[in-house]
Amino acid sequence: MEKPYDLLLKGGIVVTGQGMRRADVAVRGETIAAVELDIPAEQAREVVDVAGLYVLPGVIDVHVHPVYLDDVGDCSLVAAYGGTTTLLHYAYARTGESLLEQVEKMLQDGLARSRLDFGLHGGLFEAPRQVPEIPRVMELGVRTFKFFLAYVKQGWFTDDYHLTWAMDILAERGGMALVHAENGGAIDYLEDKYLKRPGASLPEYRRTHPAALEEEAIFRAIRLAEVTGCPLYIPHVTAARCLRPIRQAQGEGLKVFAETCPQYLTLTDEILDTRGALAKIGPPIRTAADRDALWEALRDGTLQVVASDHAPKKKDPWGDFLEQPYGAPGLETLLPVTYDWGVNRGWISVVRLVQVLCENPARIFGLYPKKGTIAVGSDADLVVFDPRREFTIRAENQHSGAGYTLYEGRTVLGWPVMSFQRGRRILWEGEVVAEPGSGRFLPTLEAPQVPPL
Ligand SMILES: [Zn+2]
């Protein structure tokens, strides 16, 4: 007898953004063919027993920087170990570089080396020269572009004139602006004031990135988005007060989306005392009250997405704190760390977890329902997650080239045990088995959807 299905995950608890239920998941070719109770095992060529385990849609990490110690190929490996199956990378065009060339380069690199399906965001460091390239880059299937309101001294900053111009172009063509929202000019002044003192180090550094300047920049980005009619996405929101302008804008019906990251959800500023420059990231990790407010905001829908902001860089933890670069790894721990703190501590349900890690990123970046859910016709991107499996995170069991993790020694309950992308094995028996170059490029073409709560 001809078997109708290629793969059957049997006995699991299927979780989507709509709810959770017992169901088997059958796959034919690259897509999901049935999600039903008691699909007979004889109907599939391969049957995997997932009794008692969660079957989640593949996690989509929309905030990845594959340009430091992990490249596009490495990032796909590291992410796959953590249960992520789709990545959206930032293709940065630095000063003097062409945005189009950098996007094309990362696209080709991804096709050659990525083990996972991936899409791209453009990132503009020299807006006056690079904004005119946006329409041609959009033709490649890249429709989200990042601008910095921070980093004036470094020369990465986009001023209001050029951000408004870019937003105008994006609004007209169905794109979206991503804004790193901190007031760079004010931060530069505070750095000059405090960090030039003799012997300045961590205590002085702590005075240079106040949350007020993040809130102010978020507000400014929102108002420029309002004037131009451009959808806006704020990556890495860190503090309670930053939620005020976001809530206000969403209440006004503006298309304003916001993301936070596991480091802001599960760590506090005290980590700088123990891990030093390894925990130096921008914007900074803030207080326990901020951390808890971010969970509230994930629960009430003000924040729609959790992503890693994976940016592992070479640092000397014993060197001058002020000289060390911003950034930390986080790709591999995105799902388990968010699950452990969020679900096991009762901040959010497993269904909400799937919304913020899978469904909402897919909706906002135009990949839904191909990605982000478990439904007939969707790509068979599946993560099998064991909620009873304990795992102690240590640098030596992580796969990033960073060589350290901010979660060193943390024991989490719940770990991804296998994953599939378009029906093929990615994580299998504890190892990533997908081949480099097997990932596909995902154009992000549709207008962003406001995720339902
Ligand atoms: Zn980032």
Side-chain angles (χ1 to χ4, degrees):
M1 184 190 98
E2 183 84 0
K3 298 192 185 260
Y5 304 126
D6 296 312
L7 171 69
L8 179 63
L9 301 189
K10 209 163 167 40
I13 300 157
V14 171
V15 188
T16 70
Q18 270 68 54
M20 56 198 286
R21 62 190 169 115
R22 275 200 71 174
D24 301 337
V25 180
V27 176
R28 189 184 305 125
E30 299 194 336
T31 56
I32 294 167
V35 187
E36 289 160 26
L37 260 183
D38 301 325
I39 299 174
E42 311 81 73
Q43 295 194 354
R45 289 197 295 114
E46 183 190 3
V47 180
V48 182
D49 177 11
V50 295
L53 305 177
Y54 288 133
V55 180
L56 316 176
V59 169
I60 303 171
D61 189 342
V62 299
H63 193 155
V64 186
H65 299 287
V67 290
Y68 306 114
L69 296 176
D70 296 324
D71 67 16
V72 167
D74 303 329
C75 282
S76 69
L77 181 80
V78 174
Y81 273 106
T84 294
T85 57
T86 298
L87 300 170
L88 293 191
H89 297 293
Y90 282 90
Y92 275 169
R94 294 178 183 276
T95 302
E97 292 176 341
S98 150
L99 178 65
L100 184 64
E101 277 173 26
Q102 293 307 310
V103 167
E104 279 176 332
K105 207 167 128 201
M106 193 173 282
L107 204 165
Q108 291 309 323
D109 210 22
L111 289 174
R113 310 212 37 231
S114 184
R115 295 163 176 86
L116 300 176
D117 290 358
F118 68 98
L120 300 176
H121 312 292
L124 291 75
F125 283 55
E126 193 184 6
R129 279 187 36 173
Q130 294 164 343
V131 167
E133 296 184 84
I134 286 176
R136 287 185 60 202
V137 176
M138 290 184 79
E139 288 169 18
L140 299 176
V142 176
R143 44 164 286 276
T144 46
F145 296 87
K146 185 189 195 181
F147 306 87
F148 295 96
L149 296 184
Y151 308 124
V152 181
K153 246 188 283 188
Q154 290 89 334
W156 311 351
F157 166 77
T158 298
D159 65 24
D160 292 350
Y161 180 97
H162 292 93
L163 183 56
T164 309
W165 180 22
M167 283 179 162
D168 202 26
I169 291 172
L170 291 169
E172 194 177 305
R173 293 165 189 265
M176 180 159 67
L178 283 48
V179 174
H180 179 127
E182 289 184 284
N183 184 317
I187 288 170
D188 281 354
Y189 169 73
L190 294 175
E191 287 184 351
D192 286 347
K193 176 175 176 183
Y194 292 114
L195 304 187
K196 289 188 173 164
R197 292 176 180 175
S201 188
L202 181 54
E204 291 76 20
Y205 168 79
R206 282 190 153 116
R207 308 177 75 163
T208 56
H209 289 70
L213 297 182
E214 187 180 339
E215 182 190 8
E216 183 278 328
I218 289 173
F219 179 83
R220 187 154 31 105
I222 285 170
R223 293 309 152 200
L224 300 185
E226 178 192 355
V227 167
T228 52
C230 182
L232 173 66
Y233 181 92
I234 317 274
H236 53 46
V237 173
T238 70
R241 61 186 301 163
C242 300
L243 301 165
R244 297 187 297 199
I246 297 168
R247 285 201 177 104
Q248 185 189 15
Q250 290 167 348
E252 292 165 9
L254 298 177
K255 275 201 174 174
V256 173
F257 307 100
E259 162 204 291
T260 191
C261 315
Q263 50 274 33
Y264 305 116
L265 288 165
T266 74
L267 298 169
T268 64
D269 157 80
E270 288 162 19
I271 192 174
L272 283 170
D273 298 322
T274 52
R275 306 303 302 279
L278 298 182
K280 182 180 175 185
I281 60 175
I285 298 167
R286 304 199 190 269
T287 67
D290 289 313
R291 176 194 66 195
D292 292 355
L294 296 176
W295 282 112
E296 296 284 0
L298 272 179
R299 193 151 63 185
D300 73 21
T302 308
L303 299 175
Q304 293 91 16
V305 174
V306 178
S308 72
D309 196 4
H310 183 73
K313 295 184 191 171
K314 198 165 167 47
K315 300 196 194 194
D316 176 3
W318 296 278
D320 181 353
F321 179 89
L322 300 180
E323 295 295 316
Q324 306 304 313
Y326 295 99
L331 202 46
E332 191 165 352
T333 44
L334 172 65
L335 167 62
V337 163
T338 309
Y339 177 93
D340 183 60
W341 201 289
V343 176
N344 292 340
R345 292 182 186 232
W347 283 110
I348 55 172
S349 67
V350 193
V351 170
R352 183 64 182 155
L353 179 91
V354 166
Q355 288 176 356
V356 301
L357 289 177
C358 314
E359 180 175 323
N360 293 355
R363 285 185 185 272
I364 291 169
F365 293 96
L367 304 174
Y368 187 85
K370 179 180 169 66
K371 306 288 190 192
T373 191
I374 299 175
V376 173
S378 294
D379 281 1
D381 291 7
L382 302 161
V383 184
V384 178
F385 188 85
D386 184 350
R388 291 160 307 189
R389 175 142 177 221
E390 268 194 352
F391 190 92
T392 301
I393 299 164
R394 298 194 185 285
E396 59 262 28
N397 58 37
Q398 297 291 291
H399 298 84
S400 167
Y404 75 98
T405 161
L406 296 180
Y407 309 103
E408 183 68 34
R410 182 183 293 189
T411 299
V412 294
L413 179 61
W415 198 259
V417 291
M418 64 182 92
S419 71
F420 302 85
Q421 179 149 63
R422 291 180 276 105
R424 71 202 163 97
R425 291 175 184 173
I426 300 288
L427 179 63
W428 187 256
E429 293 177 340
E431 295 299 331
V432 170
V433 297
E435 292 296 321
S438 57
R440 285 193 194 147
F441 174 66
L442 298 166
T444 50
L445 285 174
E446 298 160 35
Q449 296 176 18
V450 180
L453 187 61

